Amino acid sequence: MRTHFCGLVDETLIGQTVTLCGWADVARNLGGVCFIDLRDHEGIVQVVAEPDNPAYADAARVGYEDALRITGTVRARHSVNDKMKSGRVEVIAEKIEIINRAENLPYHFHENPGEDTRLKYRYLDLRRPEMQRMMRTRIRLVQALRRWLDARGFQDIETPILTKATPEGARDFLVPARMHAGEFYALPQSPQLFKQILMVAGFDRYYQIARCFRDEALRADRQLEFTQLDMEFAWVQERDVQDSVEGMIREVFREVMQVELADPFPRMPYAEAMRRFGSDKPDLRIALELVDVAEQVKACEFKVFTDWAGNPDGRVAVLRCPGASNWSRKQIDDMGAHAAKYGAKGLAWIKVEDRAKGREGVNSPIAKFLDDATLEAVLTAAGAESGDLLLFGAGPYKTVCDFMGAVRLKVGRDLGLVQNIWAPLWVTDFPMFEWDDEAQRYVALHHPFTAPAVDDIADLRANAKTAVSRGYDMVLNGNEIGGGSIRIHRPDMQSAVFDLLGIGAEEAEAKFGFLLDALRHGAPPHGGIAFGIDRIAALMAGTESIRDVIAFPKTTSAQCLMTGAPSPIDAEQLKEVHVRTLEG
């Protein structure tokens, strides 16, 4: 139907006849001449219909977003538009065909209709040049990943979508099995167990652009269904995996973004990341760090501090906010409200108005509880300078890390301290387990198949609280873009880990018997990693929401507004799969 793409018409085609197809981005009838900005996925070209040409009458009838086919001659533009790739030429229309009219459009592309409207009419939203740009960034990312992997002998192997329900940290989506009444498949949260079994099967280097499913709450960086680059290596240690995939990410950013990432990526143990930044995915573009001051305040008269300064599981930390002593009480209270979302019961604060004046140079409701020596020790530890605001958090160690880490990010953004750089990082040496107070048992910090740093099972059992795993995450600009580990390859160690997680021998055999059986048949040491395609694409595209780089995403209420999913199923279809719904 066409000879050229709109956005690729340029000066090399001057004098030639072209046929273009696309949508009317703008249609202007100026009385003596009609202008149409014709748009396709490559861009926009200006079409001119002059009154002495038969195409003029058709041009006058063109409406916004009508689907058109236009034939005409390319000529140089009198007024160049450097904002368009085709801005030095225009097409003089000889024939205009209105292929399909766009009637009753719900909104104009240049308006901001709100996300629900955009998702309901996603086919229109995806036509927008900005959405085209972001989606094509994702496409280039996936293409670059495949090229890198294929060139290095990785084998692209598909794993099942209908599989067995196995606990991996989130709720499974369940699918009733029509041919097995009362039984269910689960959609995979990841291909984790299958890729481990592929290592036992001798495939050595595996990858898959895998569709995964988790029935959990949605937010800007999370969807019910998502895409990950899944990878597994046999006969490897941590650095084998890390060095390989670091090179891959560096090459992909160079190809897709023309960006040179650090070589090598810096590395940081989990404990250090939590201590300095309050996060296991620290954003290194913000230079601010948390400082522990428990030692300095342990003998003060401020009970909130002393209660936790002497507690081995507690923390008292301060964040220096440079130049923020002019913040109003409302700004400080708003920061406290932000911290409360992450578990804080309050934020103490000190305004350092004149560092040289000691007590006389500070403004704070807690200063009266700190003697001169304690106040000076705190100011020195925090590195306080005149004009600074100090924010304090006290409580259980992990809780303080969570809310002070969130405060650090918000302060960095509010004060304009986020550097315009790419800051990758490896976070290593994660804890093996976390204690779940509600369930009164340990849960795996990564997943139940992550190997511990110790090989001795008795040692692991005796020191479960402080045990370190062989897990590692790749972080970029404060986002975890990849997570992996060396896996457990010994059946006795895997059974011991299940036991520590409260999964008894009978339950382990019922849920994971096929894995334990595979590990008993000469499983090699192996490890891997999975990268979030959606998150990396969003970073590359410069958007905070992964919905912008997913063609048909769900809303935060887990709905597809375009199709109306989820939707009721009629009784007859439910009967076929042996399912009955409960009323009320």
Side-chain angles (χ1 to χ4, degrees):
M1 289 186 69
R2 61 189 170 193
T3 61
H4 296 81
F5 293 114
C6 299
L8 301 184
V9 176
D10 60 21
E11 291 166 293
T12 64
L13 298 174
I14 288 176
Q16 296 185 32
T17 298
V18 297
T19 299
L20 310 172
C21 294
W23 291 272
D25 190 73
V26 174
R28 306 184 301 276
N29 187 342
L30 303 185
V33 65
C34 289
F35 292 93
I36 300 169
D37 285 351
L38 191 66
R39 184 191 71 246
D40 64 13
H41 71 284
E42 290 288 358
I44 293 174
V45 66
Q46 179 172 279
V47 176
V48 181
E50 298 175 330
D52 58 352
N53 193 296
Y56 180 80
D58 292 321
R61 297 189 298 113
V62 169
Y64 175 62
E65 284 305 302
D66 283 352
L68 308 175
R69 182 171 184 254
I70 297 177
T71 299
T73 302
V74 180
R75 77 176 182 189
R77 284 182 64 159
H78 296 300
S79 55
V80 173
N81 184 349
D82 289 327
K83 295 180 180 179
M84 299 192 326
K85 288 190 293 184
S86 64
R88 293 183 174 275
V89 296
E90 60 191 5
V91 175
I92 305 304
E94 296 165 6
K95 183 178 181 182
I96 296 177
E97 300 171 71
I98 301 176
I99 303 297
N100 207 343
R101 287 201 175 277
E103 299 178 0
N104 303 317
L105 286 169
Y107 65 93
H108 192 287
F109 284 6
H110 304 291
E111 298 171 348
N112 184 12
E115 189 170 56
D116 282 0
T117 301
R118 289 176 54 202
L119 292 178
K120 182 175 181 180
Y121 301 98
R122 189 62 165 177
Y123 40 86
L124 294 178
D125 190 43
L126 288 171
R127 280 189 204 168
R128 293 191 301 119
E130 178 62 6
M131 288 300 297
Q132 290 272 322
R133 180 191 68 80
M134 289 194 283
M135 289 301 301
R136 293 178 81 175
T137 298
R138 179 196 180 104
I139 292 164
R140 290 198 306 273
L141 164 64
V142 173
Q143 290 171 337
L145 289 168
R146 285 195 183 278
R147 277 194 295 272
W148 192 94
L149 292 158
D150 292 341
R152 287 159 180 80
F154 284 82
Q155 300 168 89
D156 183 359
I157 303 175
E158 294 178 346
T159 53
I161 293 295
L162 296 176
T163 185
K164 184 180 179 68
T166 55
E168 290 188 37
R171 294 185 185 90
D172 288 319
F173 276 103
L174 302 177
V175 179
R178 181 182 60 82
M179 293 182 287
H180 301 274
E183 298 182 350
F184 295 82
Y185 300 104
L187 302 183
Q189 295 185 33
S190 80
Q192 181 62 44
L193 300 185
F194 288 103
K195 68 178 180 178
Q196 289 189 239
I197 290 172
L198 284 170
M199 297 304 101
V200 181
F203 284 95
D204 202 84
R205 294 289 187 273
Y206 145 95
Y207 88 92
Q208 182 182 185
I209 306 293
R211 200 71 169 159
C212 303
F213 307 84
R214 293 182 185 175
D215 188 1
E216 58 187 357
L218 278 69
R219 54 179 188 248
D221 66 345
R222 185 169 292 174
Q223 284 275 300
L224 299 178
E225 49 184 319
F226 56 95
T227 305
Q228 66 185 37
L229 167 60
D230 209 56
M231 303 173 67
E232 199 77 4
F233 307 65
W235 310 104
V236 289
Q237 303 288 342
E238 289 91 329
R239 286 301 291 254
D240 298 317
V241 177
Q242 293 165 9
D243 290 348
S244 180
V245 300
E246 180 181 315
M248 176 186 72
I249 293 298
R250 193 179 295 110
E251 175 61 30
V252 165
F253 266 79
R254 183 181 298 123
E255 179 179 338
V256 177
M257 300 292 294
Q258 294 76 54
V259 164
E260 291 292 336
L261 298 180
D263 185 5
F265 292 0
R267 295 168 183 274
M268 187 179 297
Y270 169 91
E272 181 182 346
M274 297 300 284
R275 175 176 55 81
R276 293 173 60 189
F277 304 106
S279 172
D280 60 2
K281 48 181 184 295
D283 189 342
L284 300 186
R285 296 174 302 167
I286 301 171
L288 304 178
E289 295 192 21
L290 307 181
V291 176
D292 287 309
V293 289
E295 189 63 29
Q296 287 81 357
V297 302
K298 64 182 181 182
C300 76
E301 297 180 9
F302 190 45
K303 193 171 186 301
V304 174
F305 285 176
T306 55
D307 281 352
W308 292 106
N311 187 324
D313 294 322
R315 185 177 194 188
V316 183
V318 60
L319 177 71
R320 171 178 169 261
C321 310
S325 67
N326 61 350
W327 276 14
S328 67
R329 184 59 185 266
K330 181 180 185 305
Q331 285 176 291
I332 296 174
D333 288 346
D334 287 347
M335 191 62 69
H338 180 71
K341 298 175 186 177
Y342 299 87
K345 293 184 178 178
L347 285 180
W349 54 271
I350 295 177
K351 290 184 176 183
V352 184
E353 295 170 346
D354 189 335
R355 180 69 175 86
K357 292 184 178 179
R359 179 176 299 277
E360 299 304 315
V362 302
N363 175 7
S364 168
I366 67 166
K368 61 187 177 184
F369 299 108
L370 310 177
D371 61 33
D372 289 349
T374 300
L375 178 60
E376 178 59 31
V378 167
L379 295 178
T380 299
E385 299 178 2
S386 297
D388 291 345
L389 169 68
L390 305 183
L391 297 175
F392 297 83
Y397 193 92
K398 179 65 166 58
T399 303
V400 172
C401 289
D402 288 345
F403 71 74
M404 288 299 287
V407 166
R408 172 184 172 270
L409 292 178
K410 182 168 173 53
V411 167
R413 290 167 186 151
D414 289 355
L415 294 180
L417 300 177
V418 183
Q419 300 174 71
N420 185 26
I421 59 174
W422 292 94
L425 172 72
W426 280 110
V427 178
T428 63
D429 303 322
F430 280 80
M432 186 74 183
F433 306 110
E434 282 185 309
W435 181 255
D436 186 324
D437 284 326
E438 186 175 335
Q440 285 295 294
R441 66 177 180 86
Y442 286 115
V443 294
L445 195 69
H446 265 85
H447 55 56
F449 321 108
T450 296
V454 297
D455 290 327
D456 185 80
I457 292 174
D459 187 343
L460 179 65
R461 290 186 182 278
N463 300 288
K465 182 178 179 179
T466 58
V468 173
S469 80
R470 298 178 71 180
Y472 38 81
D473 284 355
M474 185 184 288
V475 176
L476 183 61
N477 291 3
N479 297 270
E480 178 210 327
I481 62 169
S485 66
I486 298 300
R487 322 302 188 188
I488 299 169
H489 69 279
R490 287 168 34 202
D492 58 341
M493 178 63 80
Q494 185 65 78
S495 294
V497 169
F498 284 153
D499 187 50
L500 284 165
L501 294 171
I503 302 172
E506 187 175 333
E507 183 183 359
E509 192 61 37
K511 292 180 176 177
F512 303 105
F514 63 97
L515 172 67
L516 293 169
D517 207 30
L519 298 182
R520 296 185 187 107
H521 287 80
H526 57 283
I529 192 166
F531 287 95
I533 296 291
D534 309 310
R535 289 184 185 177
I536 298 175
L539 283 170
M540 287 180 162
T543 178
E544 294 186 359
S545 174
I546 63 172
R547 287 191 288 274
D548 288 334
V549 292
I550 297 173
F552 302 104
K554 305 292 188 294
T555 65
T556 52
S557 58
Q559 293 176 295
C560 174
L561 297 181
M562 187 183 73
T563 64
S567 58
I569 300 296
D570 65 60
E572 191 60 33
Q573 193 171 353
L574 288 174
K575 183 178 179 181
E576 285 183 353
V577 293
H578 319 288
V579 169
R580 184 169 54 198
T581 59
L582 297 175
E583 299 289 339

